[in-house]
Amino acid sequence: MKIQEIWFEADHIFGRDEEGHEYSQSLLWYPRLRMASEEERMQFTFGLDGIHWRGLDEDISFESFAYEDAEPTALQRFFLTHKEINVAEFARSLGINPTLLRNYINGFKKPSKEREKEIFDHIHKLGKEMVAA
């Protein structure tokens, strides 16, 4: 697949390939592109295997438009939108390996339903502690 046209709407980038199929991805995966102005977003070039924004130092591969996880899960969305949370310290306080949690956030691994619930329960617990303080 080769994307030939792109556009942006809200927090998504859309692409159309040579056969007219449309795809979209969440800009949460691309924070520099998400925070860029419309003018900066339009300063891109198509390469052999993707799209490049030199001024933003951002790249999106054509194949990523067809990924199953184009939209972040609730867990991924939480950590991608709360960069102020130190992932390593959060993982340690939960008692799991920080690299494993990063793999969950980045989509390299998928947590079981039980593990996902454990992470969300810990988020809620910390939230309650912060409100009570």
Side-chain angles (χ1 to χ4, degrees), residues 78-132:
F78 176 80
F79 283 101
L80 290 170
T81 57
H82 292 284
K83 296 289 188 180
E84 69 276 9
I85 296 174
N86 181 314
V87 173
E89 290 304 319
F90 178 89
R92 284 186 193 98
S93 72
L94 178 59
I96 66 172
N97 183 298
T99 301
L100 179 60
L101 182 56
R102 282 191 195 91
N103 283 335
Y104 293 156
I105 295 166
N106 293 321
F108 301 133
K109 292 191 175 192
K110 184 174 178 164
S112 67
K113 290 292 182 193
E114 296 80 15
R115 177 56 62 99
E116 186 174 56
K117 182 182 180 323
E118 180 183 1
I119 293 168
F120 277 121
D121 287 348
H122 194 63
I123 291 168
H124 291 127
K125 176 184 169 233
L126 291 177
K128 288 177 184 174
E129 289 173 6
M130 291 176 78
V131 169

Side-chain angles (χ1 to χ4, degrees), residues 37-77:
S37 68
E38 191 63 30
E39 183 178 323
E40 291 171 315
R41 288 178 177 181
M42 298 317 295
Q43 301 298 315
F44 65 89
T45 56
F46 286 113
L48 295 175
D49 58 358
I51 309 161
H52 179 68
W53 287 263
R54 185 176 185 159
L56 299 172
D57 191 28
E58 189 74 82
D59 297 287
I60 298 179
S61 69
F62 293 139
E63 73 175 329
S64 67
F65 280 89
Y67 288 171
E68 289 181 21
D69 66 349
E71 192 64 36
T73 65
L75 177 67
Q76 292 167 324
R77 181 173 291 281

